[in-house]
Amino acid sequence: MKFYREDTRTALSAKEEAQRLAFAPIAFQASKSLRDLGILAALGNAPDSAASAKELAQRCGVTEYGVAVLLDMGLSAGLVIWQNDKYQLTKLGQFVDFDPMTIANMDFVADICYQGMGELTEAIKHTKPAGLKHLGEWDTLYQGLSQLNQREKDSWFGFDHYYSDRSFPTLLTEVFAQDTATLCDIGANTGKWTKQCCQHNNDVHVTMVDLPQQLAVANENMAQAGFTERVTPFTCDLLAPKNPLPAGQDVYWMSQFLDCFSKEEIVSILVRVKEAMKPQSRIFILELFPDCQDYESASYSLNATSLYFTAIANGNSRFYMSHEFLPLIELAGLSIVKQTHNIGLGHSLIECGL
Ligand SMILES: C[S@@+](CC[C@H](N)C(=O)[O-])C[C@H]1O[C@@H](n2cnc3c(N)ncnc32)[C@H](O)[C@@H]1O
């Protein structure tokens, strides 16, 4: 891992940073309010990106008190600076306002994680997603995904798809470089990858594996795309160790899927892939490893998202470090054929075989 190897702070900067951590949830909410109330946008549209609280209050329909108290926190968070008695938008403020990655991350944290993270300690103590109750009464989030309210759904899918979508073009080329008549999309979710495969290759037949709630949505999406004839749904709860996978597929595909499981569960799933495959089947695992990132902020985001799995999704999974994850493949009796890192926004593609 190229980050997090040295303690470079002075005592003063460490103490300052500790205060930022102590107030981080407030800085987060202030930033989001400034974005949602249109105050950052109004500031960006003002001449020289500068305006007073009074001017912004008029433009945004918010009280002058509201604008000023939020923007003063914005000064401390670095979203704005204070120049000639006016607030002025910074680059950081611009990214918070309209950078798609920041919006996807912020909405996911606000709508899916924020309340539940208060139960993190409880979740760690009991290896249970103790914060999930704020979204609904399910054992894991995956059982309730299709029942989230619209805003929660938009934020969850917006976050999930933001990262996987950007890797699709490279991945399609890689997978279909060899003849692929049948592909098993394990953890197919809404069927986004399945649809891309059918669009990319006119002959491939895809079997989508997921929980029944997700497959109902995926089936509808396939019908709308006109791919019903070429796609077979295969309902399967892979947490039950006896549930087998469809046999004899050319490709077994698992994208952002194995991070939904504990190490023991991952080995059990991979053993079942091994049992289902034919000797020449290829297995592709698309994952995000915090230790394989080019940018420290990517590792930061992944380590934070791991704790969403802990407190909200299922209580026992995470984005694994590659040195924790890769040995699980060999433990399941499979071999790693090829590793490609830094695809799209930090994905790693692991091709495996017998
Ligand atoms: C993070 S999503 C990944 C979706 C998609 N493959 C992608 O790359 O965007 C994980 C998927 O795994 C499915 N899943 C989670 N637990 C499962 C289980 N026990 N059995 C089958 N599928 C499961 C979820 O329903 C969800 O669709």
Side-chain angles (χ1 to χ4, degrees):
M1 180 155 34
K2 60 182 182 194
F3 317 114
Y4 313 133
R5 287 182 166 274
E6 279 170 65
D7 183 1
T8 51
R9 286 188 202 287
T10 61
L12 179 61
S13 99
K15 192 160 181 178
E16 280 177 349
E17 199 57 30
Q19 309 325 307
R20 289 188 192 281
L21 272 182
F23 288 100
I26 297 176
F28 172 83
Q29 292 293 3
S31 306
K32 188 166 174 296
S33 295
L34 282 164
R35 184 198 74 179
D36 292 349
L37 291 166
I39 297 170
L40 294 180
L43 202 44
N45 291 329
D48 299 326
S49 296
S52 67
K54 193 170 183 180
E55 288 160 348
L56 290 167
Q58 277 162 3
R59 271 175 231 161
C60 301
V62 178
T63 62
E64 191 178 333
Y65 161 78
V67 170
V69 75
L70 284 171
L71 278 178
D72 288 349
M73 186 61 215
L75 289 169
S76 294
L79 308 182
V80 290
I81 52 173
W82 181 248
Q83 283 267 351
N84 306 324
D85 289 341
K86 292 192 172 190
Y87 296 99
Q88 192 177 340
L89 196 62
T90 62
K91 290 186 221 48
L92 175 54
Q94 291 181 39
F95 278 110
V96 167
D97 192 30
F98 52 73
D99 169 55
M101 185 200 285
T102 310
I103 291 172
N105 289 344
M106 212 170 211
D107 287 351
F108 174 73
V109 172
D111 298 327
I112 300 296
C113 305
Y114 202 86
Q115 281 183 290
M117 287 314 291
E119 259 74 50
L120 180 60
T121 305
E122 208 55 21
I124 295 279
K125 277 187 188 162
H126 303 291
T127 325
K128 293 259 181 253
L132 179 57
K133 59 178 178 248
H134 295 282
L135 297 173
E137 295 296 329
W138 312 290
D139 289 339
T140 72
L141 177 76
Y142 306 106
Q143 293 157 353
L145 208 48
S146 60
Q147 296 165 54
L148 295 176
N149 69 37
Q150 195 54 49
R151 192 164 120 169
E152 292 161 351
K153 265 188 203 164
D154 289 346
S155 295
W156 194 93
F157 288 106
F159 178 72
D160 185 87
H161 290 163
Y162 184 82
Y163 294 95
S164 47
D165 282 3
R166 270 146 196 84
S167 299
F168 280 159
T170 314
L171 300 170
L172 287 165
T173 311
E174 182 77 24
V175 171
F176 287 96
Q178 288 188 35
D179 285 346
T180 307
T182 54
L183 182 145
C184 180
D185 183 0
I186 307 175
N189 198 243
T190 54
K192 265 207 146 193
W193 169 253
T194 293
K195 188 172 140 191
Q196 296 263 340
C197 290
C198 291
Q199 283 166 345
H200 182 84
N201 182 295
N202 289 332
D203 303 315
V204 70
H205 188 104
V206 183
T207 303
M208 299 187 296
V209 176
D210 212 305
L211 299 171
Q213 300 90 326
Q214 264 67 276
L215 284 186
V217 177
N219 278 338
E220 253 177 55
N221 291 340
M222 291 311 107
Q224 271 174 25
F227 291 135
T228 307
E229 299 294 309
R230 294 172 56 201
V231 175
T232 305
F234 186 96
T235 300
C236 180
D237 180 356
L238 282 159
L239 277 177
K242 286 201 177 127
N243 284 345
L245 282 158
Q249 304 283 302
D250 290 336
V251 165
Y252 289 87
W253 174 259
M254 287 165 271
S255 160
Q256 295 182 182
F257 174 70
L258 291 174
D259 47 58
C260 303
F261 299 93
S262 70
K263 287 186 185 177
E264 293 73 24
E265 290 160 356
I266 291 173
V267 174
S268 157
I269 291 168
L270 290 177
V271 165
R272 279 173 280 163
V273 175
K274 186 180 174 213
E275 286 164 359
M277 70 193 280
K278 50 190 179 183
Q280 64 277 30
S281 296
R282 293 176 298 147
I283 302 168
F284 289 97
I285 298 170
L286 187 70
E287 271 304 331
L288 292 144
F289 300 123
D291 57 331
C292 293
Q293 300 304 311
D294 268 351
Y295 297 97
E296 189 277 332
S297 60
S299 300
Y300 182 99
S301 303
L302 292 175
N303 284 328
T305 309
S306 278
L307 293 168
Y308 138 81
F309 288 108
T310 313
I312 290 145
N314 52 34
N316 67 354
S317 81
R318 57 171 300 174
F319 287 126
Y320 294 91
M321 297 289 175
S322 63
H323 60 84
E324 298 264 359
F325 186 92
L326 298 177
L328 305 177
I329 296 172
E330 278 157 14
L331 258 180
L334 296 165
S335 325
I336 296 173
V337 175
K338 187 175 170 190
Q339 295 186 42
T340 316
H341 299 286
N342 287 310
I343 301 169
L345 290 169
H347 275 113
S348 297
L349 185 68
I350 316 296
E351 183 179 342
C352 317
L354 280 177

